[in-house]
Structure formats: C-alpha cells, structure tokens
Amino acid sequence: MAYNYDLIVWAAPIFTLLMVLEYLWGKRIGRQTYRLSDAMTSINLGVLSQVSGVVSKAFSLAAFAWGASYVALPIAAHLQDFWHSVWGYAAALVLYDFCYYWLHRLGHTRRVLWATHSVHHQSQDYNLSTALRQTSSGFLLTWLFYLPMAALGVPLEVLFTVAAIDLFYQFWIHTEHVPRLPVLDKWLTTPSNHRVHHAINNIYLDKNFGGMTMVWDRLFGSYQEELTEHPCVYGTTKPLNSWNPIWANVAEFSAMTRDSTKALKNRAFGQALWVWLGTTNYRVSAASGDALPDAAQPMRFDPQWRDKGKAVAIACFLVVAVVNTLALDGSALKPLWQQWAWLALVTLGCWATSANYCATQSPPLSAGGATPKCR
Ligand SMILES: [Zn+2]
Ligand SMILES: [Zn+2]
C-alpha cells in the first residue's frame, strides 16, 4: 500500500551507499555476507516491485476504496482532524504496524499469502539488499489487511506516510553485522530478531513478524530470540534455485496451480480449494505429497557464470537500475502506456541479468558453495 515513489528515488542513493559500506565492512572484517548474483537478484526484485506497483496501484486503490465503503464506522467522520495531528500520525503508525503484523503472520501461514510474501525470503544470504527483495503480487490481497484503518477513517495520505515509515525502518534490520542488542531486541524489530524471522532452523520458523516492534509478537506468542547455539540458516525450506526475478514472483503460484489441478483431476474439490486457502505446510506440499528438503540440510544455490556472463549481467543490471530510477521519478503522472512499456523494459532487463548462468547441481550449504564447472 506504500506509494511513495519519489521518496524511493530519493532513498535509492542512500540505500546504495549503505549496501556498499556493508560490503566493505564485511571485506574488512573477513566476514562477507554478499554474493553478486544474489544481491543483483534481490535489487532487481525491488525494482520490479516498484515498477509493477505503479501499474497495479489503480487496482489496489479501487479494491481498498470498495472495501472501505463497507467497513467505515460512524466515528470515522469525527476523527479527520485527529488523524492529521502528530498524535494521529503516531496512532496511525501503531495501527498500521498491528495490521502489518497480521498480514505478515498470515503471509507465512496461509499458502495464497505465502505465494506473495515468499519472494522476500528466498535469498539464502542476509544483508541490506535482502531488504529490497520485495514481491510484485502484493497488490492482490494486501489491501484487505489495512481495512481496519479505513474503518476508522485514516486518510490515504496518512496511511501512505506511516506505510513508508514502517517500510523504510525495515531496511537497517537486514544485516548480520549488528549483534544482539540488549533490551531493544525484546521490544523493537532489530537485526537480531529479524535474522530469526528469516531463518529456516526449526526453532526459528514462523517467529518475529513485527514490522517495527516485537510487542505484537510477545502478545500473540510468536516471539523468539536469537540463540548462539542455533546460528541462523537463511532462505526458504523449499529453495527457489533460480536467479530469475520473474520466476521468483510466480514460483509459488505455479506450485499451487499444479497442486490444485492435481486435486481437481482426483475430483478432490475441497482439497483443490484448500491448496490456496489452507495453511502453509513446510514439510509436505498439501495435494502433491512431494517431500520437501530437510530444513537442516539446505542446498546453496550458487551456479557458475556463462562465458562473459558476469560482464553482461552487470551491464544489464546497471541499465535496469538507471532506466528505473529515471522512470520512477514522477511516475504517477506518466501516461499508462508509458508505465506499461517501462514495466516491460525493466522486466526484460531483469530477466536478461539472470540469464547468464549455467544450471549446475547445487551443493550442500556445508560445502561452502563450491560448484561444478559449466558444461
Ligand atoms: Zn516474512
Ligand atoms: Zn525481512
């Protein structure tokens, strides 16, 4: 629901600078958390998310307005001055974070929502670029979770402002270089408790959903602190095994379609529907019965570059970054055909960036990412 594109354009150089600093720091202390392929993919997913957001915003705004017309409470009309005050913004931020908590929690536990949110979790690395790794299908259902704000009459400009604050806050928490912080870790969303959120160790699964605070997690029983004896292993229990940002966005939807089709062929209509609306099952795909990899033995996806692939991929990545930054500026005012053309161009560029690897067998994570040669 955050449509602050000019803010993103303004923030892009700061994000870039902080990522470079994190990379240099990792190099200096001999603990590098970046891989070029992974970081380029995460950033491209952020770019795609922003571009598709421009195109899809009409849908989610219309859906939100339609929902709001049903849920608005009589008191909403009397609260307009309040929402525009400092206390009103503060209250809206708390309310937004509460709604975000439930969106995020169900985003992990309901399959149709996980299909959207899983994009943010596919990286097997954990660094500031992971924060930019965002979905492009959020427009479909995200608006539903912010209807309580519409019920209380929170104006759209206030909603967008607090949404941007919540989103921007979450940038700094995606790093391995900030250690545990006493007291703060218990109440605020911090690097330590968000590392737990991104980890696939059994003890950490489905924990710490809060956007800015751990209060909701502590209230609703999903808080887990980071434990020295359980170093975080990042990613998804069913690895994506691809650098393709387009596939990253559709992989789970494709799996659900496959599973529900299989159920339909068996005339199991209830199960076909449950594939979409039911709970996420990390171990067994609900309808297909496919066993998923053991979370304790994840495979690191780290394929080889094709000949000159690295240079071509970097060139494509830079073109996408520059074109996107220029196009994003004032994007809301551009004609629709230009927005679609820009989405097509950026999608093509993101795909081209990812198409420079040869498929290789993924080695176990414990093997340190050594990969076979291209054949
Ligand atoms: Zn999450
Ligand atoms: Zn995250």
Side-chain angles (χ1 to χ4, degrees), residues 120 174 194 198:
H120 180 60
H174 293 84
H194 201 63
H198 274 258

Side-chain angles (χ1 to χ4, degrees), residues 222-240:
S222 55
Y223 176 71
Q224 171 64 52
E225 62 181 340
E226 189 177 20
L227 303 169
T228 316
E229 61 269 33
H230 294 283
C232 292
V233 178
Y234 304 107
T236 49
T237 54
K238 189 179 168 187
L240 181 70

Side-chain angles (χ1 to χ4, degrees), residues 100 104 108 117 120-121 126-127 130-134 170-171 173-174 189 194-195 197-198 208:
Y100 175 87
H104 196 187
H108 278 259
H117 182 59
H120 180 60
H121 284 271
Y126 191 76
N127 52 54
T130 315
L132 304 181
R133 190 181 180 105
Q134 296 289 336
Q170 293 183 42
F171 182 71
I173 60 179
H174 293 84
T189 309
H194 201 63
R195 286 195 286 271
H197 177 67
H198 274 258
N208 301 356

Side-chain angles (χ1 to χ4, degrees), residues 221-369:
S222 55
Y223 176 71
Q224 171 64 52
E225 62 181 340
E226 189 177 20
L227 303 169
T228 316
E229 61 269 33
H230 294 283
C232 292
V233 178
Y234 304 107
T236 49
T237 54
K238 189 179 168 187
L240 181 70
N241 286 338
S242 169
W243 297 130
N244 185 335
I246 300 152
W247 177 242
N249 270 296
V250 299
E252 284 296 323
F253 285 102
S254 163
M256 283 194 300
T257 306
R258 194 185 61 228
D259 287 349
S260 56
T261 306
K262 199 176 275 187
L264 281 176
K265 280 182 184 162
N266 295 332
R267 307 185 73 77
F269 300 112
Q271 197 175 37
L273 188 65
W274 194 245
V275 164
W276 293 74
L277 302 180
T279 55
T280 312
N281 189 327
Y282 280 104
R283 288 287 158 180
V284 177
S285 176
S288 68
D290 295 337
L292 300 180
D294 184 348
Q297 292 292 324
M299 311 293 270
R300 184 188 285 280
F301 180 68
D302 200 12
Q304 294 279 297
W305 296 98
R306 291 189 194 284
D307 290 342
K308 296 200 174 62
K310 192 172 181 177
V312 176
I314 291 172
C316 293
F317 173 77
L318 290 175
V319 168
V320 167
V322 171
V323 167
N324 181 60
T325 308
L326 293 176
L328 208 56
D329 196 17
S331 57
L333 304 172
K334 288 187 169 64
L336 198 60
W337 73 266
Q338 276 189 26
Q339 294 176 6
W340 277 101
W342 164 42
L343 174 59
L345 198 68
V346 166
T347 305
L348 186 68
C350 289
W351 172 80
T353 307
S354 69
N356 289 285
Y357 304 86
C358 44
T360 53
Q361 199 70 34
S362 297
L365 204 56
S366 55

